[in-house]
Amino acid sequence: MSERSIYTPVDAKVSFPALEEALIERWRDERIFERSLEQREGDAEWVFYEGPPTANGRPGLHHVEARTFKDFFCRFQAMRGRYVFRKAGWDCHGLPVEIEVEKELGITEKRQIEEEWGIEEFVKRCRESVQRYVGDWDKLTERIGFWIDLEDAYWTMSPEFVESVWWILKSIWDKGLLEEDFKVVPYCPRCGTALSSHELAQPGAYKDVHDPSIYVRFPLADEPDVALLVWTTTPWTLLSNTLAAAGEDIEYSKVADPQLPGKFLILASALTEKVLGEDIEVIDRFPGKDLIGRSYTPPFGYVPAAEGAHIVLAGDFVTTTDGSGLVHIAPYGVDDMTLIRGQNLEITSTVDASGKATVDPFAGMWVKDADRKIVEDLQSRGLMFKVEDYLHSYPHCWRCHTALLYYPRKDWYVRTSQIRDQLQASNEAVNWQPPTIKYGRFGDWLANNVDWSLSRDRYWGTPLPIWRCEQGHHTCVGSFAELSDLSGQDVSGLDPHRPYVDEIKIDCPRCTATAQRVPFVIDTWFDSGSMPFGQWHYPFENTGLFDKRFPADFISEAIDQTRGWFYSLLAVSTLVTGRSSYNNVVCLGHIVDEDGRKMSKSLGNVIDPWAVCNEQGADALRWLMLSGGSPWSARRVSVSIIEESLRKYLLTLWNTYSFWVTYASLEGFDPTAQDIPIAERPEMDRWIAAELDDTIRVVTEALEDFDATTGGKRLDRFVDDLSNWYVRRSRRRFWRSGEDRDTQCAFQTLWECLVTLSQLSAPFTPFVTDEIYMNLMRPVSEAPDSVHLSDWPVASDDRRDDELRQRMRLVRSLVGLGRAARTDAKVKVRQPLQRALVVIPPAEAGLVAGLEALVADELNVKSVEPMTGIGELVTYTVKPNFKTLGPRFGSRMRSVAQAIASADPEALVDQLDNAGSVTVEVDGASETLTAGDLDVRIEGRAGFSLAREGAYGVALDLDITDELRAEGTARETIRAIQDLRRSSGLAVEDRIELWITWDDAEAGEAVRSHWQWIAGEVLASTTHVGEDPLGDTSTDHIDTDHGRVVIGLRRA
RNA sequence: GGGCCCAUAGCUCAGCUCGGUUAGAGCGCACCCCUGAUAAGGGUGAGGCCGAUGGUUCAAGUCCAUCUGGGCCCA
């Protein structure tokens, strides 16, 4: 290494994990994140909202995915000059937390909480539970380079956050949209609470289960020999059978009961065969409306006989896809409840809140257990027609996996269905990524919006701030100050959770009776949906900050949040402000394993993010997430896929960087010493600069558009161009003397590319890019202390050169053809050849001008010449260009194609070359076609080896003269010496003493005649031509075309 | 039962918005090359009736319909 080196030597065998950890230290020590914010203070804000995770478990790979995307766009916008405030947040409340604590305490039934532990202790443990893993989250967040303010995170359990939620609820109350109502809700009997519809939308909620499928006889009251054949899969609901429903437009049949001679059954005609088999004696057929209003005898007597009960009603939900076309109605279904209400009937429930039957002889039995008893009971009374097994998908509690019951309860609702239009209007203003979700999954959800079931009969949550007096008056409290006023005591220091808040009594403002808080807490999704307000304790504090940072420019979560956070955010802010709280949302797919299966502990296919960070590094993981395929489709992740992402991009980038630093150190190059304008640099430099410029344009546009993949793909291609074409072609330019202007251009160009590339890649792979940027920029005094403090690169017309890019594309495809020709002829590149003959359409011939030397060098030929006398070597095919001719000729296209096919191709090509256009006869009319209308292709004539593609071709002159063969031998010798240098452990800049002998005169002549060249290439300062190597040298030999050559060398 | 997404090389995925007659990458595989980035790098090649069937069109991987298989969501 030169003493003049100003760059830190680069280890080609880099350990990315170690490098990343060192950078985390540096960023922390030098406050890089804080400074990245400080330097943008006062600039236009770009607002990000963090969807708060529940930190009561360790973060997994899917969390890394979401956090990578969040970080990515924020970093990009920050480099673009925006002030991007990033406040972390934690979702603290809710059933998941309670379940976790229940497990810890060994609680299996809800009542144990109050009876055995007490609410105070239980809630205290919930609070501890959500704090337990925050340290793990913080560590991983830092490790993957997610820059977010963890110090000043919002916690949904903080009194300030709770107060903001109260304020929101009060404003909804004031609009008359917060009400108590009787509704059928999915209810978890184990957790003892109703579940919201978006809790039902959680992954894993629906599971296939086996239930009994039973057909029961409901004898008609006035015709006891005839029974309605009623179908249900929940026998326990028969205990409170209230009504039956039929489809008005469905045809029904009266058939002989195959089990009871002399009796009859009624069921839908379409289902008779399915239910009864083939031997059916049909007595009568009639439309469903004939059944409406008829009375029947219910299977049980628990529901009191009343006017309007136990009759058949019309139900538009009745279908003939399953069952019998006759549906039993009990208050355990949404449709059911509507019918029962319509009859003004009392609701009779035979099941209690823990899912146990309340009527003898079934009292105390868990309903699913009671099913069997009920079936037996019906059988003994001759009412049971048939019992089958029914496999269907049924909702379960997403946390405790208990099968849910649909249960009528009094609960508190937010009347979101009344503002459905507003919700849809809010959504209208949101930009969704991918766009299909906007009117698809999410739009449908809004269009079918149902009221938000808000209250939860639980302990750990934001308490519903509604106080009820003995008269039944309700008072909604919107702040702690208001509660202090109403209660006559200062509650400002109070923990606003159960059980403390339950002890605060107020005087009812309407009747002065004592009022007590209703015992509910609220759906935790309402908390997270309130974070735009709650994170600032709005409107009690920070109103200025809120105004500046509402709505968000960007949020991102996985697709399962469509009905979770994406909905709760939109709904809460629409309720409060009338608009959406986010403008852009990037929706991510799930992480699945290599085989497309979900990652789960039971399958043992979970990838631990820490293991990946320690083995491959966070950059590799981030790069894969951001650049590998559509983010919203399920993403297959495996260790080998991550390793591939590492090798393909990061290592190539690193090698290129390492190459530059190695030679810049050797040559003592200073990128700031001299600035040669782009226009004055060689074509190769102008080409890569043009590619760089295009990359800036494409990446910037893609990232502005929330499209990480397109940006990543462009960077990937640029790195490939840079490493595998620019550096490969320019290598020698880096090892001449430092004064040479061409060398200066090369160093400068590659330096610029690497610096800009490090900036463009910085949001993707923040670690390695900072390492590269810093080492390259260190000599530049005014450079910022991190790539993340630098400004995003701007495209420039100085660098832009689309024509040069096109020319290089052409050259590279000619080189590819030349290589194919060599492979075909089995002549290795090391053997020089005299000529390459190229075929290019005349219109494009000019494009190659000036780049022939490049092609020649790459193909190791002495010259590149246009092929003449082509006619003898190739045949032409001329095809129509359908893209231009199709629209012009429409249905006549077929005739045009025929005319072209039947014309003589050589003549057409001649005409084109001479006149620039051709004339063909189409259906009697003359049509003029230009070069663009025709697609000319060539084929090699038989017996001549030619690599060709479309209208391009390359042929090689395979005549190897003695001279060429000698040069090939010399080259072979050089390669062998270089090999020996390396295997002897010499450094690239070491000079050597070289011995060389041979046992063949021709080989000797080949070596002698190229001796200067050989010695120069291998840095031989002392040479012994024709002498046997001494004993202490490294030796090797090569078998050339001529004969054996022996070489020996040692450090000079 | 309804809605949405997906189906392209052995594997992982582009391309489909806006139809054009020769469908692209990477991995893997075969063969080969390069050697002053070297426990790296590169090239060439084989490998596809673009899930199936109909339809629209001069022309369909691309648009439409139906179906099959997989996934997600809802009832």
Side-chain angles (χ1 to χ4, degrees), chain A residues 211-212 214 233-236 239 300 362 365-380 384 387:
Chain A
D211 271 322
I214 64 171
T233 58
T234 48
W236 59 271
L239 298 176
F300 295 98
F362 312 102
M365 295 178 77
W366 163 239
V367 291
K368 295 280 174 188
D369 297 331
D371 278 353
R372 209 161 43 89
K373 285 273 181 220
I374 291 166
V375 168
E376 281 168 16
D377 180 87
L378 292 169
Q379 271 165 341
S380 71
M384 181 61 67
V387 186

Side-chain angles (χ1 to χ4, degrees), chain A residues 795-812:
Chain A
S796 129
D797 286 337
D798 290 347
R799 281 187 299 238
R800 186 171 198 168
D801 191 339
D802 292 337
E803 193 200 297
L804 180 53
R805 294 177 54 225
Q806 195 197 339
R807 292 172 59 203
M808 194 60 84
R809 246 196 314 274
L810 176 58
V811 162
R812 290 179 74 177

